Amino acid sequence: VEHATADASTTVSLIVSADRPDGTDEVDLLTDVRRKKSWVLVAALQKLSESLFGPPTLDVTRQIGSTPALSGAQVHRTTVEEHGEYGYRLSDADVALIGEKSDLAVHFGVGILYGGVLDAPERGVIGFHHGDLREYRGGPPGFWEFVHGRSETGVTVQRFTETLDGGEILAFEDVPIDDAGTWSEVRRRQRAASEPLLLRAIENIRNTAFDPDAPGELGPVYTTSQRNWRVTARYIRRELAGRTSDLTLG
């Protein structure tokens, strides 16, 4: 956002801080383990890695008030409504407010948006997909590319539709990961590549000659059900090999 608002013609007029419906995140430990199954080991190893080596720099949470580009914006707090397994809708009043206050909206977090909010701003709702949606959709960011031993991933800024990671591509950056020994390193490179990309997407939107890429083919969607014990074992092997290599080189 700081990069995108470095241009004086881009300002943030409204911040919608949306909470999930009450109770959706209140899950006891045993239920969480049963739901995630082998993924608990991945999450635990990632937490251990971050406690020893720190999180990727751009994963550190910052308060809205500490970011000068956002300090003058109106903050509107609301609660989203669930729509399907991973989707959310905003109320008609929220949609109307967003349409009134903005000609372009940028979406971070919350989940997959559905409904009128996608068309409320004149230029739509845009946001990041940390991957190449023509190859990998779903998430987590960079995980499957790392597990599959891919030599590169990417970062996409797309104009959202109700198709998961299926919108027009407004900006894209390749991210080489052939020498990235850990998932954390893959994430770090994706985050670093993200910094200038939002501004590039906005500049492309303003350019009347720009023709966004509407992919004819989309990559498969990766879901929680595919994170089985075999995938977990493969991840742990690659992660430990990368950590061992880092310690040896260090």
Side-chain angles (χ1 to χ4, degrees):
V1 172
E2 289 176 333
H3 276 77
T5 54
D7 179 354
S9 63
T10 301
T11 59
V12 178
S13 59
L14 175 69
I15 299 169
V16 177
S17 178
D19 294 325
R20 291 179 172 85
D22 291 342
T24 55
D25 293 328
E26 296 178 3
V27 180
D28 63 82
L29 179 60
L30 291 178
T31 300
D32 196 38
V33 169
R34 284 195 296 269
R35 178 183 296 173
K36 293 181 177 178
K37 298 179 181 177
S38 62
W39 189 249
V40 170
L41 294 177
V42 176
L45 188 57
Q46 192 67 19
K47 287 293 185 183
L48 176 61
S49 171
E50 291 183 1
S51 67
L52 294 174
F53 302 100
T57 304
L58 296 176
D59 274 359
V60 177
T61 302
R62 296 173 60 183
Q63 295 295 322
I64 290 175
S66 69
T67 305
L70 304 179
S71 59
Q74 174 186 344
V75 178
H76 174 69
R77 302 189 182 280
T78 189
T79 301
V80 291
E81 304 167 3
E82 288 184 307
H83 181 80
E85 187 173 4
Y86 302 109
Y88 299 95
R89 286 180 180 269
L90 290 163
S91 69
D92 291 344
D94 292 334
V95 170
L97 177 64
I98 292 169
E100 175 190 346
K101 294 287 186 178
S102 61
D103 58 3
L104 176 70
V106 182
H107 171 54
F108 294 98
V110 178
I112 305 166
L113 292 179
Y114 288 88
V117 67
L118 296 174
D119 299 314
E122 178 185 354
R123 298 175 185 247
V125 180
I126 69 174
F128 288 98
H129 169 63
H130 285 91
D132 184 346
L133 53 81
R134 294 161 294 195
E135 298 287 339
Y136 287 86
R137 294 188 294 152
F143 175 79
W144 295 100
E145 295 93 320
F146 175 68
V147 167
H148 293 161
R150 297 293 295 264
S151 62
E152 64 181 20
T153 178
V155 179
T156 308
V157 177
Q158 61 174 319
R159 195 190 323 264
F160 288 114
T161 68
E162 292 191 351
T163 299
L164 173 62
D165 295 332
E168 295 176 325
I169 297 175
L170 302 171
F172 177 80
E173 185 71 26
D174 285 308
V175 179
I177 57 170
D178 53 322
D179 60 341
T182 65
W183 180 27
S184 291
E185 176 60 17
V186 173
R187 289 168 59 209
R188 186 194 68 77
R189 295 184 188 187
Q190 287 181 315
R191 295 296 193 273
S194 300
E195 288 192 52
L197 213 59
L198 183 58
L199 176 57
R200 191 187 309 170
I202 293 173
E203 290 174 340
N204 285 339
I205 290 171
R206 287 176 175 155
N207 181 1
T208 57
F210 174 72
D211 186 18
D213 179 12
E217 293 187 9
L218 298 170
V221 175
Y222 288 87
T223 64
T224 304
S225 63
Q226 293 163 281
R227 304 172 195 169
N228 55 31
W229 291 104
R230 182 177 299 177
V231 170
T232 300
R234 194 171 179 181
Y235 162 76
I236 291 174
R237 284 198 303 270
R238 289 188 59 82
E239 187 78 14
L240 291 179
R243 289 296 179 197
T244 302
S245 176
D246 288 347
L247 292 173
T248 302
L249 292 175

